[in-house]
Each structure stands twice: as structure tokens, then as C-alpha cells.
Amino acid sequence: MGNNRQVILKIFRLDKNIYNELASEVSNFQTAIAIYISGSLFSGLAAFNLLRNSLVYLEENLGLIVDILPVQTVNEIINLISELEKLDSQQLFGLLTSFLISSFVSGFVGVGLVYLLLTRFFRKETDFRQVGIIYGFSNIPVFLNGVIFFTSSIPLQIFLIIGTAIFALVCLGSGLKQVYLLRNIEAFLLVVVSGFGSSLFSQVI
């Protein structure tokens, strides 16, 4: 796979040939799975950290907003704060495990949808592992969510979670475009269908 640092830098720069290099080596499939699972774990922890910090902020400023929000909303916030405080390490581990399983299954579905569209609709020659490599390595930007654990700024945390998710989709589109010689609209279609399809499936399960 070459120098890991160079690979990461090329992905962030949207290098025009990096995904061709990665997809040409079948051995990168295991690495892509590891990246996807690790990235999902990072995203889950980051989202939980944002939720916790937001609830702590609301708790500290509850007196200022109690007259603004409806009574029902205030009660829901208080209940959420109470439930979060009761959450122990075992329950947190269970929630993260469920989140990882759901993320892995939805990712599998996303790869499957892209594979089916490429082979059936766009008539491209590919295999499931090659699509999985692109899907996994395009998830590298979500590791920037690690910054969230070193800042208490809620706006910055929100920006990072949303920004890294969007950039990961951009990387996915870029990878699909360069490996399968797609037009922009075709790559966009694959990303949208994959995203919506996997999201709907994860809600079902």
C-alpha cells in the first residue's frame, strides 16, 4: 500500500490516482474494513461526546431557557440529562457495540448497492472487494473527529462531525469517479443512492 502517511495525504488532497492504486491491490480490502470500523467507532464516540457536552451546557443554563421552551421540552431535556448521568460503562459499551454493528451492516449494504449499480446499470467491470476498498478508504476523513475530544466548543464539534461526514462522501465520489471513469453526475448518483439506501436499511434493523 506504500507509505501510510502519503496515502492519507493523497486522500485528503483528492489525488486523481490514489484510489486506482489502492483498488489495484486486493490485500487492501482488510485494511479498508479496519478503517471503516475504526472510523465508525470514532464517529459514534464523537456524537456521544457532543450529546453529553450539549446536555451539560443545557443543564448549566436551564434557568435561562426554562421560560423560553415549552414545559414538555424542558422535561424531556431533564430526563435526557438524568438518563445520561445513570449511564454506566457497561451500558455505554453495549450502545457502542450496537452502533458498530449497525454501521457495519449499513456499510455492507452501501457497498452492495454501489456494486450492483456499477455492474448492472453502468456496465462497469468490478468486484465487491474493489468497491469495498474505495468505500473504506474514503472514510479516513472522519478520524478528524478526534479533535472533538480535546475541545469543549459545541459549535466546533458540530462543524467537525458534519464537515468530516460530508468530506468522506466527497472522497467516496472522487474514488468511484477515478476508478470507474464516471461522470460527476454518475458518481453523485452512486453516493446518494448508497447513502440513502444504507441509512434506510439501518433504520429498519
Side-chain angles (χ1 to χ4, degrees), residues 100-125:
L100 283 177
I101 293 174
S102 176
S103 297
F104 181 79
V105 173
S106 63
F108 182 85
V109 171
V111 173
L113 287 172
V114 171
Y115 172 76
L116 287 174
L117 284 173
L118 282 171
T119 55
R120 305 297 182 184
F121 187 74
F122 294 110
R123 304 296 180 182
K124 301 290 184 178
E125 292 187 6

PDB file of all heavy atoms in Angstrom, residues 100-125:
ATOM      1  N   LEU A 100     -21.807   0.024  16.228  1.00  0.00           N
ATOM      2  CA  LEU A 100     -20.811  -0.504  15.296  1.00  0.00           C
ATOM      3  C   LEU A 100     -21.408  -1.579  14.400  1.00  0.00           C
ATOM      4  O   LEU A 100     -21.124  -1.619  13.201  1.00  0.00           O
ATOM      5  CB  LEU A 100     -19.620  -1.073  16.080  1.00  0.00           C
ATOM      6  CG  LEU A 100     -18.631  -0.062  16.641  1.00  0.00           C
ATOM      7  CD1 LEU A 100     -17.541  -0.770  17.448  1.00  0.00           C
ATOM      8  CD2 LEU A 100     -17.988   0.755  15.524  1.00  0.00           C
ATOM      9  N   ILE A 101     -22.234  -2.446  14.983  1.00  0.00           N
ATOM     10  CA  ILE A 101     -22.871  -3.494  14.182  1.00  0.00           C
ATOM     11  C   ILE A 101     -23.778  -2.873  13.123  1.00  0.00           C
ATOM     12  O   ILE A 101     -23.767  -3.265  11.952  1.00  0.00           O
ATOM     13  CB  ILE A 101     -23.677  -4.454  15.088  1.00  0.00           C
ATOM     14  CG1 ILE A 101     -22.717  -5.238  15.988  1.00  0.00           C
ATOM     15  CG2 ILE A 101     -24.521  -5.412  14.240  1.00  0.00           C
ATOM     16  CD1 ILE A 101     -23.411  -6.101  17.015  1.00  0.00           C
ATOM     17  N   SER A 102     -24.572  -1.884  13.551  1.00  0.00           N
ATOM     18  CA  SER A 102     -25.468  -1.194  12.622  1.00  0.00           C
ATOM     19  C   SER A 102     -24.676  -0.492  11.520  1.00  0.00           C
ATOM     20  O   SER A 102     -25.049  -0.541  10.340  1.00  0.00           O
ATOM     21  CB  SER A 102     -26.328  -0.189  13.385  1.00  0.00           C
ATOM     22  OG  SER A 102     -27.149   0.552  12.499  1.00  0.00           O
ATOM     23  N   SER A 103     -23.563   0.158  11.903  1.00  0.00           N
ATOM     24  CA  SER A 103     -22.722   0.863  10.927  1.00  0.00           C
ATOM     25  C   SER A 103     -22.100  -0.110   9.937  1.00  0.00           C
ATOM     26  O   SER A 103     -22.030   0.163   8.726  1.00  0.00           O
ATOM     27  CB  SER A 103     -21.621   1.651  11.637  1.00  0.00           C
ATOM     28  OG  SER A 103     -22.162   2.649  12.457  1.00  0.00           O
ATOM     29  N   PHE A 104     -21.640  -1.266  10.442  1.00  0.00           N
ATOM     30  CA  PHE A 104     -21.004  -2.257   9.570  1.00  0.00           C
ATOM     31  C   PHE A 104     -22.010  -2.812   8.561  1.00  0.00           C
ATOM     32  O   PHE A 104     -21.724  -2.935   7.368  1.00  0.00           O
ATOM     33  CB  PHE A 104     -20.409  -3.396  10.400  1.00  0.00           C
ATOM     34  CG  PHE A 104     -19.713  -4.437   9.573  1.00  0.00           C
ATOM     35  CD1 PHE A 104     -18.425  -4.210   9.095  1.00  0.00           C
ATOM     36  CD2 PHE A 104     -20.331  -5.635   9.262  1.00  0.00           C
ATOM     37  CE1 PHE A 104     -17.767  -5.159   8.323  1.00  0.00           C
ATOM     38  CE2 PHE A 104     -19.694  -6.586   8.495  1.00  0.00           C
ATOM     39  CZ  PHE A 104     -18.406  -6.350   8.026  1.00  0.00           C
ATOM     40  N   VAL A 105     -23.218  -3.128   9.051  1.00  0.00           N
ATOM     41  CA  VAL A 105     -24.255  -3.676   8.178  1.00  0.00           C
ATOM     42  C   VAL A 105     -24.676  -2.640   7.129  1.00  0.00           C
ATOM     43  O   VAL A 105     -24.823  -2.959   5.942  1.00  0.00           O
ATOM     44  CB  VAL A 105     -25.475  -4.138   8.992  1.00  0.00           C
ATOM     45  CG1 VAL A 105     -26.620  -4.540   8.063  1.00  0.00           C
ATOM     46  CG2 VAL A 105     -25.103  -5.301   9.891  1.00  0.00           C
ATOM     47  N   SER A 106     -24.867  -1.385   7.577  1.00  0.00           N
ATOM     48  CA  SER A 106     -25.264  -0.343   6.631  1.00  0.00           C
ATOM     49  C   SER A 106     -24.150  -0.073   5.620  1.00  0.00           C
ATOM     50  O   SER A 106     -24.422   0.199   4.443  1.00  0.00           O
ATOM     51  CB  SER A 106     -25.627   0.946   7.371  1.00  0.00           C
ATOM     52  OG  SER A 106     -24.513   1.477   8.069  1.00  0.00           O
ATOM     53  N   GLY A 107     -22.892  -0.171   6.061  1.00  0.00           N
ATOM     54  CA  GLY A 107     -21.771  -0.024   5.133  1.00  0.00           C
ATOM     55  C   GLY A 107     -21.736  -1.152   4.119  1.00  0.00           C
ATOM     56  O   GLY A 107     -21.472  -0.928   2.923  1.00  0.00           O
ATOM     57  N   PHE A 108     -22.002  -2.373   4.583  1.00  0.00           N
ATOM     58  CA  PHE A 108     -22.067  -3.531   3.691  1.00  0.00           C
ATOM     59  C   PHE A 108     -23.154  -3.337   2.643  1.00  0.00           C
ATOM     60  O   PHE A 108     -22.955  -3.615   1.455  1.00  0.00           O
ATOM     61  CB  PHE A 108     -22.336  -4.793   4.519  1.00  0.00           C
ATOM     62  CG  PHE A 108     -22.366  -6.063   3.711  1.00  0.00           C
ATOM     63  CD1 PHE A 108     -21.198  -6.737   3.408  1.00  0.00           C
ATOM     64  CD2 PHE A 108     -23.575  -6.569   3.250  1.00  0.00           C
ATOM     65  CE1 PHE A 108     -21.232  -7.913   2.660  1.00  0.00           C
ATOM     66  CE2 PHE A 108     -23.615  -7.737   2.501  1.00  0.00           C
ATOM     67  CZ  PHE A 108     -22.437  -8.412   2.211  1.00  0.00           C
ATOM     68  N   VAL A 109     -24.311  -2.832   3.090  1.00  0.00           N
ATOM     69  CA  VAL A 109     -25.415  -2.564   2.167  1.00  0.00           C
ATOM     70  C   VAL A 109     -25.026  -1.470   1.176  1.00  0.00           C
ATOM     71  O   VAL A 109     -25.321  -1.563  -0.022  1.00  0.00           O
ATOM     72  CB  VAL A 109     -26.681  -2.152   2.945  1.00  0.00           C
ATOM     73  CG1 VAL A 109     -27.774  -1.665   1.996  1.00  0.00           C
ATOM     74  CG2 VAL A 109     -27.202  -3.314   3.771  1.00  0.00           C
ATOM     75  N   GLY A 110     -24.342  -0.423   1.673  1.00  0.00           N
ATOM     76  CA  GLY A 110     -23.907   0.665   0.802  1.00  0.00           C
ATOM     77  C   GLY A 110     -22.964   0.182  -0.282  1.00  0.00           C
ATOM     78  O   GLY A 110     -23.108   0.545  -1.464  1.00  0.00           O
ATOM     79  N   VAL A 111     -22.000  -0.656   0.104  1.00  0.00           N
ATOM     80  CA  VAL A 111     -21.068  -1.223  -0.872  1.00  0.00           C
ATOM     81  C   VAL A 111     -21.823  -2.091  -1.878  1.00  0.00           C
ATOM     82  O   VAL A 111     -21.568  -2.042  -3.087  1.00  0.00           O
ATOM     83  CB  VAL A 111     -19.973  -2.060  -0.168  1.00  0.00           C
ATOM     84  CG1 VAL A 111     -19.117  -2.797  -1.195  1.00  0.00           C
ATOM     85  CG2 VAL A 111     -19.094  -1.161   0.691  1.00  0.00           C
ATOM     86  N   GLY A 112     -22.783  -2.872  -1.374  1.00  0.00           N
ATOM     87  CA  GLY A 112     -23.563  -3.736  -2.254  1.00  0.00           C
ATOM     88  C   GLY A 112     -24.372  -2.954  -3.273  1.00  0.00           C
ATOM     89  O   GLY A 112     -24.447  -3.338  -4.449  1.00  0.00           O
ATOM     90  N   LEU A 113     -24.969  -1.847  -2.829  1.00  0.00           N
ATOM     91  CA  LEU A 113     -25.750  -1.018  -3.749  1.00  0.00           C
ATOM     92  C   LEU A 113     -24.863  -0.405  -4.827  1.00  0.00           C
ATOM     93  O   LEU A 113     -25.240  -0.375  -6.015  1.00  0.00           O
ATOM     94  CB  LEU A 113     -26.461   0.092  -2.962  1.00  0.00           C
ATOM     95  CG  LEU A 113     -27.644  -0.339  -2.094  1.00  0.00           C
ATOM     96  CD1 LEU A 113     -28.121   0.826  -1.230  1.00  0.00           C
ATOM     97  CD2 LEU A 113     -28.781  -0.854  -2.964  1.00  0.00           C
ATOM     98  N   VAL A 114     -23.700   0.092  -4.427  1.00  0.00           N
ATOM     99  CA  VAL A 114     -22.765   0.665  -5.403  1.00  0.00           C
ATOM    100  C   VAL A 114     -22.316  -0.407  -6.398  1.00  0.00           C
ATOM    101  O   VAL A 114     -22.260  -0.167  -7.619  1.00  0.00           O
ATOM    102  CB  VAL A 114     -21.543   1.277  -4.690  1.00  0.00           C
ATOM    103  CG1 VAL A 114     -20.477   1.682  -5.715  1.00  0.00           C
ATOM    104  CG2 VAL A 114     -21.957   2.491  -3.874  1.00  0.00           C
ATOM    105  N   TYR A 115     -22.016  -1.584  -5.874  1.00  0.00           N
ATOM    106  CA  TYR A 115     -21.574  -2.683  -6.737  1.00  0.00           C
ATOM    107  C   TYR A 115     -22.648  -3.060  -7.758  1.00  0.00           C
ATOM    108  O   TYR A 115     -22.371  -3.233  -8.950  1.00  0.00           O
ATOM    109  CB  TYR A 115     -21.216  -3.901  -5.875  1.00  0.00           C
ATOM    110  CG  TYR A 115     -20.929  -5.147  -6.665  1.00  0.00           C
ATOM    111  CD1 TYR A 115     -19.717  -5.292  -7.349  1.00  0.00           C
ATOM    112  CD2 TYR A 115     -21.869  -6.178  -6.742  1.00  0.00           C
ATOM    113  CE1 TYR A 115     -19.454  -6.434  -8.095  1.00  0.00           C
ATOM    114  CE2 TYR A 115     -21.615  -7.317  -7.485  1.00  0.00           C
ATOM    115  CZ  TYR A 115     -20.408  -7.438  -8.144  1.00  0.00           C
ATOM    116  OH  TYR A 115     -20.148  -8.564  -8.894  1.00  0.00           O
ATOM    117  N   LEU A 116     -23.891  -3.164  -7.284  1.00  0.00           N
ATOM    118  CA  LEU A 116     -24.992  -3.526  -8.180  1.00  0.00           C
ATOM    119  C   LEU A 116     -25.219  -2.459  -9.252  1.00  0.00           C
ATOM    120  O   LEU A 116     -25.434  -2.777 -10.431  1.00  0.00           O
ATOM    121  CB  LEU A 116     -26.280  -3.741  -7.376  1.00  0.00           C
ATOM    122  CG  LEU A 116     -26.349  -5.028  -6.545  1.00  0.00           C
ATOM    123  CD1 LEU A 116     -27.609  -5.043  -5.696  1.00  0.00           C
ATOM    124  CD2 LEU A 116     -26.296  -6.252  -7.453  1.00  0.00           C
ATOM    125  N   LEU A 117     -25.174  -1.205  -8.866  1.00  0.00           N
ATOM    126  CA  LEU A 117     -25.370  -0.129  -9.831  1.00  0.00           C
ATOM    127  C   LEU A 117     -24.239  -0.088 -10.858  1.00  0.00           C
ATOM    128  O   LEU A 117     -24.474   0.135 -12.050  1.00  0.00           O
ATOM    129  CB  LEU A 117     -25.475   1.214  -9.105  1.00  0.00           C
ATOM    130  CG  LEU A 117     -26.801   1.498  -8.394  1.00  0.00           C
ATOM    131  CD1 LEU A 117     -26.704   2.776  -7.568  1.00  0.00           C
ATOM    132  CD2 LEU A 117     -27.941   1.613  -9.399  1.00  0.00           C
ATOM    133  N   LEU A 118     -23.011  -0.290 -10.383  1.00  0.00           N
ATOM    134  CA  LEU A 118     -21.870  -0.270 -11.293  1.00  0.00           C
ATOM    135  C   LEU A 118     -21.946  -1.401 -12.315  1.00  0.00           C
ATOM    136  O   LEU A 118     -21.695  -1.189 -13.511  1.00  0.00           O
ATOM    137  CB  LEU A 118     -20.564  -0.383 -10.504  1.00  0.00           C
ATOM    138  CG  LEU A 118     -20.073   0.874  -9.800  1.00  0.00           C
ATOM    139  CD1 LEU A 118     -18.895   0.551  -8.892  1.00  0.00           C
ATOM    140  CD2 LEU A 118     -19.662   1.945 -10.804  1.00  0.00           C
ATOM    141  N   THR A 119     -22.304  -2.599 -11.849  1.00  0.00           N
ATOM    142  CA  THR A 119     -22.300  -3.759 -12.741  1.00  0.00           C
ATOM    143  C   THR A 119     -23.562  -3.866 -13.593  1.00  0.00           C
ATOM    144  O   THR A 119     -23.496  -4.262 -14.758  1.00  0.00           O
ATOM    145  CB  THR A 119     -22.129  -5.058 -11.928  1.00  0.00           C
ATOM    146  OG1 THR A 119     -23.142  -5.128 -10.913  1.00  0.00           O
ATOM    147  CG2 THR A 119     -20.755  -5.089 -11.271  1.00  0.00           C
ATOM    148  N   ARG A 120     -24.708  -3.508 -13.030  1.00  0.00           N
ATOM    149  CA  ARG A 120     -25.968  -3.701 -13.750  1.00  0.00           C
ATOM    150  C   ARG A 120     -26.409  -2.476 -14.539  1.00  0.00           C
ATOM    151  O   ARG A 120     -26.947  -2.590 -15.636  1.00  0.00           O
ATOM    152  CB  ARG A 120     -27.086  -4.072 -12.754  1.00  0.00           C
ATOM    153  CG  ARG A 120     -26.779  -5.275 -11.887  1.00  0.00           C
ATOM    154  CD  ARG A 120     -26.613  -6.536 -12.700  1.00  0.00           C
ATOM    155  NE  ARG A 120     -26.356  -7.682 -11.842  1.00  0.00           N
ATOM    156  CZ  ARG A 120     -26.089  -8.898 -12.290  1.00  0.00           C
ATOM    157  NH1 ARG A 120     -26.047  -9.129 -13.596  1.00  0.00           N
ATOM    158  NH2 ARG A 120     -25.854  -9.889 -11.448  1.00  0.00           N
ATOM    159  N   PHE A 121     -26.201  -1.304 -13.938  1.00  0.00           N
ATOM    160  CA  PHE A 121     -26.699  -0.080 -14.562  1.00  0.00           C
ATOM    161  C   PHE A 121     -25.631   0.599 -15.420  1.00  0.00           C
ATOM    162  O   PHE A 121     -25.888   0.989 -16.557  1.00  0.00           O
ATOM    163  CB  PHE A 121     -27.195   0.878 -13.481  1.00  0.00           C
ATOM    164  CG  PHE A 121     -27.876   2.101 -14.011  1.00  0.00           C
ATOM    165  CD1 PHE A 121     -29.159   2.031 -14.551  1.00  0.00           C
ATOM    166  CD2 PHE A 121     -27.240   3.337 -13.978  1.00  0.00           C
ATOM    167  CE1 PHE A 121     -29.782   3.165 -15.047  1.00  0.00           C
ATOM    168  CE2 PHE A 121     -27.850   4.477 -14.480  1.00  0.00           C
ATOM    169  CZ  PHE A 121     -29.131   4.384 -15.010  1.00  0.00           C
ATOM    170  N   PHE A 122     -24.412   0.742 -14.871  1.00  0.00           N
ATOM    171  CA  PHE A 122     -23.341   1.430 -15.605  1.00  0.00           C
ATOM    172  C   PHE A 122     -22.482   0.464 -16.427  1.00  0.00           C
ATOM    173  O   PHE A 122     -21.608   0.910 -17.170  1.00  0.00           O
ATOM    174  CB  PHE A 122     -22.453   2.213 -14.635  1.00  0.00           C
ATOM    175  CG  PHE A 122     -23.161   3.361 -13.962  1.00  0.00           C
ATOM    176  CD1 PHE A 122     -23.455   3.312 -12.601  1.00  0.00           C
ATOM    177  CD2 PHE A 122     -23.539   4.481 -14.668  1.00  0.00           C
ATOM    178  CE1 PHE A 122     -24.106   4.363 -11.971  1.00  0.00           C
ATOM    179  CE2 PHE A 122     -24.189   5.538 -14.058  1.00  0.00           C
ATOM    180  CZ  PHE A 122     -24.478   5.473 -12.698  1.00  0.00           C
ATOM    181  N   ARG A 123     -22.717  -0.847 -16.264  1.00  0.00           N
ATOM    182  CA  ARG A 123     -21.995  -1.855 -17.033  1.00  0.00           C
ATOM    183  C   ARG A 123     -20.477  -1.747 -16.865  1.00  0.00           C
ATOM    184  O   ARG A 123     -19.716  -1.829 -17.829  1.00  0.00           O
ATOM    185  CB  ARG A 123     -22.358  -1.755 -18.523  1.00  0.00           C
ATOM    186  CG  ARG A 123     -23.852  -1.871 -18.822  1.00  0.00           C
ATOM    187  CD  ARG A 123     -24.380  -3.234 -18.448  1.00  0.00           C
ATOM    188  NE  ARG A 123     -25.808  -3.359 -18.736  1.00  0.00           N
ATOM    189  CZ  ARG A 123     -26.524  -4.438 -18.458  1.00  0.00           C
ATOM    190  NH1 ARG A 123     -25.954  -5.467 -17.863  1.00  0.00           N
ATOM    191  NH2 ARG A 123     -27.820  -4.468 -18.730  1.00  0.00           N
ATOM    192  N   LYS A 124     -20.040  -1.584 -15.627  1.00  0.00           N
ATOM    193  CA  LYS A 124     -18.617  -1.497 -15.337  1.00  0.00           C
ATOM    194  C   LYS A 124     -18.118  -2.835 -14.786  1.00  0.00           C
ATOM    195  O   LYS A 124     -18.836  -3.528 -14.063  1.00  0.00           O
ATOM    196  CB  LYS A 124     -18.339  -0.398 -14.301  1.00  0.00           C
ATOM    197  CG  LYS A 124     -18.790   0.992 -14.730  1.00  0.00           C
ATOM    198  CD  LYS A 124     -17.944   1.552 -15.858  1.00  0.00           C
ATOM    199  CE  LYS A 124     -18.356   2.973 -16.190  1.00  0.00           C
ATOM    200  NZ  LYS A 124     -17.512   3.569 -17.277  1.00  0.00           N
ATOM    201  N   GLU A 125     -16.881  -3.173 -15.137  1.00  0.00           N
ATOM    202  CA  GLU A 125     -16.283  -4.394 -14.603  1.00  0.00           C
ATOM    203  C   GLU A 125     -15.642  -4.085 -13.247  1.00  0.00           C
ATOM    204  O   GLU A 125     -14.764  -3.236 -13.142  1.00  0.00           O
ATOM    205  CB  GLU A 125     -15.221  -4.940 -15.567  1.00  0.00           C
ATOM    206  CG  GLU A 125     -15.796  -5.465 -16.877  1.00  0.00           C
ATOM    207  CD  GLU A 125     -14.738  -6.135 -17.726  1.00  0.00           C
ATOM    208  OE1 GLU A 125     -13.600  -6.284 -17.234  1.00  0.00           O
ATOM    209  OE2 GLU A 125     -15.042  -6.490 -18.873  1.00  0.00           O
TER     210      GLU A 125
END
